[in-house]
Amino acid sequence: MLAGVDMSFITYLLNGISLGSVYSIIALGYTMVYGIAKMLNFAHGDVIMVGGYIIFTIMSTLGLNPILGVLIAIILCTLLGMTIERIAYKPLRRAPSLAVLITAIGVSYLLQNLALLIFGAEAKSFTSVIPVKPLSLAGGRLSISGETLVTIPLCILIMTSLTIFIKKSKIGRGMVAVSEDKDAAVLMGINVNKTIAITFAIGSALAAVASALMFSTYTNLSSTSGAMPGIKAFVAAVFGGIGSIPGAMIGGILLGVIEILSRAYISTQLADAIVFLILIIVLLVKPTGILGKKIQEKV
Amino acid sequence: MLEVRDLQVYYGVIQAIKGVSFNVDEGEIIALIGANGAGKTTILQTITGLISPKQGEVLYNGVDLKKLPAHKIVSMGLAHVPEGRRVFSQLTVYENLLMGAYTRKDKDEIEETLQHVFKRFPRLEERRGQLAGTLSGGEQQMLAMGRALMSKPKIILMDEPSMGLSPILVEEVFDIIKSINKSGTTVLLVEQNAKKALSIANRAYVLETGNIVLEGAAESLMNNESVKKAYLGE
């Protein structure tokens, strides 16, 4: 039998993996968009917040089925992501990256303020959409929440299907081609604009899934609720090696575990500072991130 | 088949192509020769839509290619082997070849073309599962050519296929270009290696800082004094 201390450690670890899974799913949106459009979509975190409000409205205000709420959030967030790309980023395709970055920050503030306008400044309390009961183990000393029981397998499922999609499907291979060499991809007959739009659609749909998982555990929903997880997921993407899908997974999970363990054993206030400190150290040692790679060109 | 009329291309305020006109007839090998910076690559990139010209027309069997988005051009039968190979290093040889057939739908026909390409380039079949980034320069050039052939082009544009290759491989590449042409594909060849290019071409155009300064049958250009001096090192 394990000692009581170990049980709480295991609980923290699982919570960390669960939070990290959410970060991974969000980080996918950053990393895929970066890989293909070579831009940082800082409005990505706010799409999560929008997803949260959509689910909240359908579930709590209209009193409909939570799963229906999640599905509608996925659809609307997908459309939102594609609209943002079409209106705000597409006209800047050949603009300097600084212009794109500033636009992305502008879109982020726009979404936050629209949410503030529509839903008010008062934070809403999100009701969990996950109907799974907590699991009690080791004679009640280890309890795993329903959210954790759903989040971790779902994250694995998303990562696996996305990897298979990119490796095996024609669209997926087109995405790899565009991310590596846009001009060569065009010469193959690949529609680069369409490929970028699909990437935004996938990233935003995943943001909606992440919002359902995240707000089910961290129930405080306000217009800025997407910002911090967005930034942390971005850190996770950089941590793992931006542009790399397994990197997003590893970065996200590491980040979640570090955050929860620091909160538990070091300091609640300092947890975020520790997370960012570790990022700085990783980037000093390995600037391309854990799985980041340099492409070698042969002449 | 391909007609370029009064093409003018700018990079910002700098005019790279200053009113170039030439034509390629079906079945020919046409060489565009000239020094570095003469505008050879720019012309090919303008034909396949990667760069928009300020003025002029690119007519392909009477269709103005300028009016088409760049990704639609390959399915019209016009393939481009870019300078520096530009294979997808993170995809395997096989996947790179499939990318070449991206706009084609019929799986059996694609498989048939693939077998043709493997027959022409046995090395690619040996290495079909290998990542393209791990191939040697010569193999990457074969892959770039094979990838272009996967679209079953009627005309193939080749940009400096001999660049950076050893003399034996250069020989091999030019033999392949000849045989691709023999099997019915028109070739527009851009080369710094003027001697080799003229030796396989029917006609050629000499490009100097954005202008065509000489044109004619490849043989007569080879005997032209100024060409000999400037490009053949004689």
Side-chain angles (χ1 to χ4, degrees):
Chain A
M1 253 325 176
L2 289 164
V5 183
D6 291 327
M7 281 306 158
S8 65
F9 176 74
I10 291 170
T11 308
Y12 292 137
L13 196 62
L14 283 172
N15 287 345
I17 295 173
S18 177
L19 177 63
S21 299
V22 174
Y23 288 154
S24 310
I25 297 170
I26 306 170
L28 281 176
Y30 279 107
T31 222
M32 286 173 70
V33 164
Y34 179 82
I36 285 159
K38 299 285 176 289
M39 66 159 290
L40 296 171
N41 176 22
F42 271 114
H44 188 58
D46 302 290
V47 176
I48 301 161
M49 173 272 298
V50 173
Y53 274 116
I54 294 170
I55 300 171
F56 177 82
T57 306
I58 290 165
M59 195 168 63
S60 302
T61 314
L62 303 175
L64 298 172
N65 186 307
I67 302 302
L68 180 74
V70 176
L71 290 178
I72 292 176
I74 291 175
I75 295 167
L76 292 182
C77 283
T78 305
L79 293 176
L80 176 67
M82 290 172 84
T83 311
I84 292 171
E85 194 277 323
R86 182 70 189 74
I87 295 174
Y89 303 149
K90 195 179 165 208
L92 299 176
R93 201 78 89 214
R94 290 182 187 276
S97 55
L98 195 60
V100 186
L101 188 69
I102 291 167
T103 307
I105 294 170
V107 173
S108 164
Y109 278 113
L110 177 74
L111 292 178
Q112 288 183 19
N113 285 290
L114 281 178
L116 194 63
L117 203 66
I118 299 169
F119 298 100
E122 203 185 325
K124 308 269 191 260
S125 178
F126 195 92
T127 320
S128 175
V129 297
I130 291 161
V132 179
K133 292 227 156 53
L135 188 68
S136 191
L137 290 173
R141 281 189 297 134
L142 178 63
S143 168
I144 307 169
S145 72
E147 284 75 22
T148 300
L149 286 174
V150 171
T151 302
I152 297 173
L154 192 60
C155 174
I156 295 169
L157 180 73
I158 287 172
M159 289 292 165
T160 329
S161 8
L162 198 62
T163 307
I164 294 172
F165 170 75
I166 285 174
K167 271 249 160 252
K168 299 291 169 200
S169 76
K170 195 169 168 176
I171 296 174
R173 274 198 299 267
M175 290 165 95
V176 178
V178 172
S179 79
E180 189 174 330
D181 189 334
K182 272 201 193 67
D183 280 352
V186 169
L187 293 180
M188 303 299 112
I190 297 168
N191 184 339
V192 171
N193 283 330
K194 203 173 112 191
T195 309
I196 292 176
I198 292 171
T199 311
F200 270 85
I202 295 174
S204 308
L206 292 176
V209 174
S211 81
L213 297 170
M214 187 180 77
F215 290 119
S216 291
T217 308
Y218 303 86
T219 55
N220 204 7
L221 174 62
S222 75
S223 64
T224 52
S225 296
M228 201 53 179
I231 287 176
K232 284 192 193 146
F234 168 64
V235 168
V238 175
F239 203 41
I242 191 132
S244 152
I245 287 173
M249 170 121 188
I250 293 173
I253 293 199
L254 275 177
L255 203 75
V257 170
I258 293 168
E259 182 181 332
I260 296 286
L261 291 184
S262 327
R263 191 160 287 167
Y265 293 112
I266 302 173
S267 155
T268 314
Q269 282 89 13
L270 283 180
D272 286 347
I274 292 167
V275 165
F276 290 111
L277 183 71
I278 290 175
L279 170 82
I280 293 169
I281 294 169
V282 167
L283 290 186
L284 283 176
V285 178
K286 198 163 186 299
T288 50
I290 300 169
L291 291 186
K293 54 189 164 191
K294 275 195 225 148
I295 297 158
Q296 272 189 338
E297 249 176 78
K298 256 193 187 161
V299 182
Chain B
M1 183 178 211
L2 182 70
E3 197 181 347
V4 172
R5 278 192 208 150
D6 187 33
L7 198 66
Q8 300 194 24
V9 183
Y10 284 77
Y11 289 112
V13 291
I14 298 159
Q15 187 170 18
I17 304 297
K18 301 167 182 165
V20 161
S21 302
F22 64 93
N23 68 294
V24 183
D25 293 331
E26 197 157 351
E28 282 188 306
I29 298 182
I30 297 298
L32 278 178
I33 58 176
N36 237 346
K40 305 181 301 289
T41 298
T42 305
I43 291 176
L44 291 196
Q45 290 183 335
T46 312
I47 293 172
T48 41
L50 295 177
I51 300 176
S52 328
K54 183 135 190 180
Q55 223 181 18
E57 284 176 321
V58 179
L59 297 172
Y60 173 68
N61 292 329
V63 182
D64 189 357
L65 292 184
K66 243 176 29 181
K67 297 206 173 87
L68 289 175
H71 68 268
K72 296 266 189 209
I73 289 175
V74 63
S75 49
M76 302 201 47
L78 207 141
H80 182 166
V81 183
E83 184 180 3
R85 281 70 96 163
R86 308 281 282 268
V87 295
F88 301 111
S89 64
Q90 297 164 50
L91 296 178
T92 64
V93 168
Y94 173 69
E95 287 167 339
N96 265 278
L97 292 172
L98 282 189
M99 295 310 298
Y102 197 80
T103 54
R104 297 174 61 193
K105 298 261 156 13
D106 191 312
K107 285 225 164 92
D108 296 338
E109 282 180 23
I110 293 174
E111 182 59 33
E112 203 189 307
T113 316
L114 183 71
Q115 291 314 319
H116 279 294
V117 170
F118 280 155
K119 221 163 140 194
R120 199 183 285 281
F121 305 104
R123 282 299 279 266
L124 295 183
E125 184 161 27
E126 284 165 34
R127 310 208 164 215
R128 64 182 284 162
Q130 202 171 317
L131 288 182
T134 65
L135 298 179
S136 73
E139 289 164 342
Q140 287 190 1
Q141 186 60 51
M142 308 292 167
L143 179 56
M145 291 199 277
R147 186 178 67 175
L149 289 174
M150 287 299 292
S151 67
K152 269 192 141 177
K154 297 191 186 73
I155 176 166
I156 190 162
L157 277 48
M158 299 210 195
D159 198 347
E160 305 272 8
S162 74
M163 192 173 71
L165 300 183
S166 71
I168 297 171
L169 280 170
V170 171
E171 207 66 43
E172 202 180 328
V173 162
F174 278 95
D175 283 344
I176 290 162
I177 296 170
K178 258 198 291 189
S179 94
I180 288 172
N181 178 252
K182 270 217 184 85
S183 54
T185 311
T186 310
V187 176
L188 174 57
L189 174 66
V190 154
E191 259 299 339
Q192 280 196 58
N193 189 337
K195 203 174 202 165
K196 295 282 352 171
L198 291 176
S199 75
I200 63 164
N202 302 98
R203 293 185 297 122
Y205 295 84
V206 180
L207 208 62
E208 261 172 32
T209 55
N211 285 306
I212 288 178
V213 292
L214 264 177
E215 57 179 277
E219 252 169 84
S220 71
L221 284 179
M222 235 183 312
N223 295 316
N224 180 301
E225 285 307 319
S226 60
V227 173
K228 271 187 184 173
K229 230 194 203 152
Y231 302 104
L232 303 178
E234 285 173 24

